Amino acid sequence: MGRPLRIGMVGAGKISGAYLDTLARLDNVVLRAVTDLDAARATSVADRAPGAAVADSLADLLVRDDVDAVLNLTIPAVHAEVATAALAAGKHVYGEKPLAATREEADAILRTAAAAGLRVGCAPDTVLGTGTQTARRAVDDGRIGRPVAATAFMTTAGHEHWHPDPEFYYRPGGGPLLDMGPYYLSALVHLLGPVTRVTGASSRPRAERVVGSGPRAGSVFPVEVETHVTGVLEHADGALSTLVMSFDIHAARLPRIEVHGTEGSLSVPDPNGFEGPVDLFAAGGDWETLPVSAGCPGGGRGTGLADLSDALAAGRPHRASAELARHVLDVMLTLLDAAEQERTLRVSSTCERPEPVRTA
């Protein structure tokens, strides 16, 4: 292995801690610099990463010659702005989801990266863990026959119950679909391939929400997006997925993801995590938990960065790619359009299923 991929982190908010935990375990990625609008937060992150410096601004971080790639952990509204600036500075980019707020922004990122010969990766990388990858192997090996249907459910009462600054989840670019949908849709693409058509419906039952924790607890803020979204997705090979993404459900006993085929069914663990049991029901038999057969053991936020580093060294495509993220974004935006227009719409984009992870 050559030199580790040297990272500059932009944004030192809540999610940065999960990345720091993973980066500390990686030998092919190293954090060299961090910047944040809140200098104290940037300093706190740098203190946890030996050798990492605090950059006074994004511009200062981008001119550093010890930064090969930017880890973009900013809020969704500025994902595209930061990614574009990093690419213009000659840096690879790996960002939190979604890739961008609009299709046009996402396409501009892809064009800029291609012209510069740079890589863009995007979360979620949870789909590279043993949970989704073991399920994918079962599908690819024909354990459930031909896939015909799937269900995917993400239900919660809303992030304001735990996040001290939840407003951005309820502004344009937020909502349950754009926030949590990337986990579920990325998993469905890994399992069943790209989506070709969608039908949707959505609602916004409450006009206001209340901050439930932290120093601003009790503060009221407006809801500017749909907070319950449901839809049917048609995959390229004909399977139909039913999707529910909601910030309006206090409790549920729904499965996270299930995939049903002509010869059986699979229960797939939460795609917001890297691990979990994969249960198979074979027609005429009973449920059994499959042994781990694929995926990155012990994965954490940043596993996609490690895969990007390996891909650069090997000259192969990286799995948590901007192309996949662009398709997932298009599916989500098309679903919202279909809900608003009360009709079925075709998804204009497509992507290749990323290569499976066969390391376990």
Side-chain angles (χ1 to χ4, degrees), residues 287-357:
W287 287 102
E288 62 171 311
T289 299
L290 298 179
V292 171
S293 61
C296 301
R301 259 64 172 187
T303 294
L305 263 175
D307 181 71
L308 174 60
S309 179
D310 286 345
L312 284 166
R316 63 165 174 83
H318 55 287
R319 294 179 174 89
S321 69
E323 291 75 18
L324 171 61
R326 198 296 188 192
H327 178 62
V328 166
L329 175 66
D330 190 23
V331 172
M332 294 189 297
L333 294 177
T334 305
L335 180 56
L336 292 174
D337 290 342
E340 182 179 6
Q341 298 173 28
E342 300 180 348
R343 64 193 185 100
T344 298
L345 294 176
R346 287 205 166 272
V347 178
S348 61
S349 68
T350 189
C351 69
E352 298 291 331
R353 288 174 79 199
E355 284 297 310
V357 181

Side-chain angles (χ1 to χ4, degrees), residues 89-180:
K91 313 296 185 184
H92 304 292
V93 177
Y94 184 92
E96 259 302 315
K97 47 75 189 170
L99 176 64
T102 68
R103 299 175 183 89
E104 293 76 17
E105 288 179 345
D107 289 342
I109 291 170
L110 290 172
R111 286 195 302 269
T112 302
L118 296 167
R119 300 285 190 105
V120 179
C122 187
D125 52 4
T126 50
V127 292
L128 306 183
T130 57
T132 298
Q133 291 295 316
T134 293
R136 175 174 175 171
R137 182 158 195 170
V139 171
D140 290 350
D141 288 350
R143 301 289 298 274
I144 62 169
R146 177 175 59 84
V148 296
T151 56
F153 301 109
M154 192 295 299
T155 60
T156 178
H159 292 348
E160 72 274 15
H161 293 280
W162 59 269
H163 199 291
D165 298 295
E167 284 89 343
F168 71 93
Y169 289 113
Y170 297 90
R171 293 172 181 155
L177 182 61
L178 290 177
D179 175 46
M180 297 299 293

Side-chain angles (χ1 to χ4, degrees), residues 37-359:
L37 294 175
D38 184 334
R41 293 201 310 192
T43 298
S44 178
V45 166
D47 286 346
R48 290 182 55 186
V54 174
D56 291 335
S57 66
L58 173 61
D60 289 340
L61 183 142
L62 293 179
V63 299
R64 295 180 64 98
D65 59 10
D66 62 348
V67 169
D68 305 312
V70 165
L71 174 58
N72 184 2
L73 303 184
T74 55
I75 63 173
V78 295
H79 281 180
E81 177 184 344
V82 172
T84 301
L87 292 168
K91 313 296 185 184
H92 304 292
V93 177
Y94 184 92
E96 259 302 315
K97 47 75 189 170
L99 176 64
T102 68
R103 299 175 183 89
E104 293 76 17
E105 288 179 345
D107 289 342
I109 291 170
L110 290 172
R111 286 195 302 269
T112 302
L118 296 167
R119 300 285 190 105
V120 179
C122 187
D125 52 4
T126 50
V127 292
L128 306 183
T130 57
T132 298
Q133 291 295 316
T134 293
R136 175 174 175 171
R137 182 158 195 170
V139 171
D140 290 350
D141 288 350
R143 301 289 298 274
I144 62 169
R146 177 175 59 84
V148 296
T151 56
F153 301 109
M154 192 295 299
T155 60
T156 178
H159 292 348
E160 72 274 15
H161 293 280
W162 59 269
H163 199 291
D165 298 295
E167 284 89 343
F168 71 93
Y169 289 113
Y170 297 90
R171 293 172 181 155
L177 182 61
L178 290 177
D179 175 46
M180 297 299 293
Y183 298 105
Y184 290 78
L185 288 166
S186 295
L188 289 172
V189 172
H190 269 267
L191 293 165
L192 300 173
V195 177
T196 58
R197 291 196 303 171
V198 298
T199 302
S202 63
S203 64
R204 191 186 313 180
R206 284 178 281 169
E208 296 179 332
R209 299 268 176 150
V210 180
V211 179
S213 65
R216 299 173 54 246
S219 300
V220 177
F221 61 92
V223 175
E224 302 176 39
V225 295
E226 305 296 86
T227 53
H228 184 97
V229 182
T230 185
V232 177
L233 320 174
E234 182 177 339
H235 295 266
D237 287 343
L240 299 177
S241 291
T242 301
L243 184 77
V244 175
M245 301 279 114
S246 183
F247 285 169
D248 292 299
I249 296 177
H250 286 279
R253 294 177 176 176
L254 296 164
R256 299 296 187 177
I257 294 179
E258 289 184 344
V259 182
H260 306 285
T262 55
E263 304 296 331
S265 295
L266 273 176
S267 175
V268 184
D270 185 354
N272 194 17
F274 287 82
E275 301 174 340
V278 177
D279 294 332
L280 169 70
F281 181 91
D286 203 349
W287 287 102
E288 62 171 311
T289 299
L290 298 179
V292 171
S293 61
C296 301
R301 259 64 172 187
T303 294
L305 263 175
D307 181 71
L308 174 60
S309 179
D310 286 345
L312 284 166
R316 63 165 174 83
H318 55 287
R319 294 179 174 89
S321 69
E323 291 75 18
L324 171 61
R326 198 296 188 192
H327 178 62
V328 166
L329 175 66
D330 190 23
V331 172
M332 294 189 297
L333 294 177
T334 305
L335 180 56
L336 292 174
D337 290 342
E340 182 179 6
Q341 298 173 28
E342 300 180 348
R343 64 193 185 100
T344 298
L345 294 176
R346 287 205 166 272
V347 178
S348 61
S349 68
T350 189
C351 69
E352 298 291 331
R353 288 174 79 199
E355 284 297 310
V357 181
R358 293 288 191 253
T359 55

